[in-house]
Amino acid sequence: KAGVTQTPRYLIKTRGQQVTLSCSPISGHRSVSWYQQTPGQGLQFLFEYFSETQRNKGNFPGRFSGRQFSNSRSEMNVSTLELGDSALYLCASSQRTSGGTVQYFGPGTRLTVT
Amino acid sequence: ELKVEQNPLFLSMQEGKNYTIYCNYSTTSDRLYWYRQDPGKSLESLFVLLSNGAVKQEGRLMASLDTKARLSTLHITAAVHDLSATYFCAVAVMEYGNKLVFGAGTILRVKS
């Protein structure tokens, strides 16, 4: 089975611009979560989508948004970029197994805002 | 609000030695995870712990969970250089689907 894929892998944007990141979960997984990783704040939960509906949301401003499509692929959008948005953005897809729900992370998109 | 604390944050150890990383969390949860991250890479799932007293082992790593104490440990036995990485524990927020709260991570360096 192919793993979680994220595109693009690297991105450089300028303050004030907007960006869209994409995540394709493992086939058959319907839950997709997004996390932001920075050296200062660590790993922080952004939001989770399940069957095209946002199920949970973290404590991020409204500039951060997302959506999920019928094929479970997900996108997140950040508008009016700020320098502090520079981070590694990780997507995870989840599957419930007999041993518990496992979250598999993609390789991430490294966003640099200049 | 769920808080997760890991210690130590940095661990430098000699090959062949044993050590333990601790993960404390502040509120009840039904799932605890351990992940490994190599520099510049994503997170690799190591263990999922669900119930009190759960113990899982994979190679030189063993994880355990004490839900009453809200404490998980990751024990490293006879460390080897290949175990050098950052290790995170993450706790699921109950009734919030798959939302995880991560600890700050433990940077492990195993010296040859």
Side-chain angles (χ1 to χ4, degrees):
Chain A
K1 249 187 191 179
V4 179
T5 58
Q6 291 186 247
T7 56
R9 294 291 311 280
Y10 302 91
L11 207 48
I12 299 174
K13 289 286 190 179
T14 304
R15 269 184 305 175
Q17 289 185 315
Q18 75 164 14
V19 68
T20 299
L21 312 182
S22 181
C23 171
S24 292
I26 294 170
S27 177
H29 291 195
R30 292 191 293 165
S31 166
V32 173
S33 300
W34 289 88
Y35 291 84
Q36 181 197 64
Q37 185 176 27
T38 60
Q41 299 298 318
L43 279 150
Q44 293 185 287
F45 173 82
L46 280 155
F47 26 66
E48 179 195 6
Y49 286 87
F50 183 84
S51 293
E52 300 180 66
T53 301
Q54 187 180 85
R55 185 154 75 171
N56 297 296
K57 191 176 191 307
N59 296 325
F60 280 81
R63 300 185 296 107
F64 292 81
S65 62
R67 58 179 175 166
Q68 186 180 33
F69 303 94
S70 58
N71 62 357
S72 294
R73 189 177 70 85
S74 177
E75 289 181 347
M76 68 164 279
N77 184 275
V78 188
S79 62
T80 319
L81 284 166
E82 300 177 0
L83 294 178
D85 296 333
S86 296
L88 180 66
Y89 289 88
L90 293 165
C91 161
S93 73
S94 303
Q95 181 182 40
R96 187 170 291 188
T97 71
S98 59
T101 298
V102 183
Q103 291 202 33
Y104 299 91
F105 282 81
T109 294
R110 186 162 295 281
L111 172 64
T112 302
V113 182
T114 62
Chain B
E1 182 187 343
L2 174 61
K3 294 195 184 302
V4 180
E5 288 188 2
Q6 272 182 252
N7 68 83
L9 297 184
F10 183 77
L11 180 53
S12 179
M13 51 193 299
Q14 295 286 340
E15 276 193 329
K17 298 292 187 183
N18 304 333
Y19 211 83
T20 301
I21 300 170
Y22 298 88
C23 175
N24 288 92
Y25 53 101
S26 60
T27 62
T28 302
S29 175
D30 59 352
R31 280 170 286 152
L32 187 140
Y33 299 82
W34 285 96
Y35 287 93
R36 168 183 171 146
Q37 187 176 40
D38 292 295
K41 304 288 188 181
S42 187
L43 297 170
E44 174 190 354
S45 177
L46 295 174
F47 302 107
V48 181
L49 302 170
L50 302 177
S51 58
N52 189 44
V55 177
K56 290 192 176 179
Q57 182 163 6
E58 181 73 34
R60 300 175 187 276
L61 300 177
M62 183 174 71
S64 65
L65 179 62
D66 181 343
T67 57
K68 292 176 183 171
R70 295 179 188 154
L71 170 69
S72 180
T73 61
L74 180 66
H75 186 73
I76 302 152
T77 302
V80 292
H81 181 70
D82 285 352
L83 289 179
S84 297
T86 301
Y87 293 85
F88 292 93
C89 68
V91 181
V93 181
M94 285 189 71
E95 300 173 358
Y96 276 83
N98 291 313
K99 176 179 179 178
L100 299 182
V101 176
F102 280 81
T106 297
I107 300 172
L108 173 66
R109 292 289 175 261
V110 181
K111 295 183 284 189
S112 307

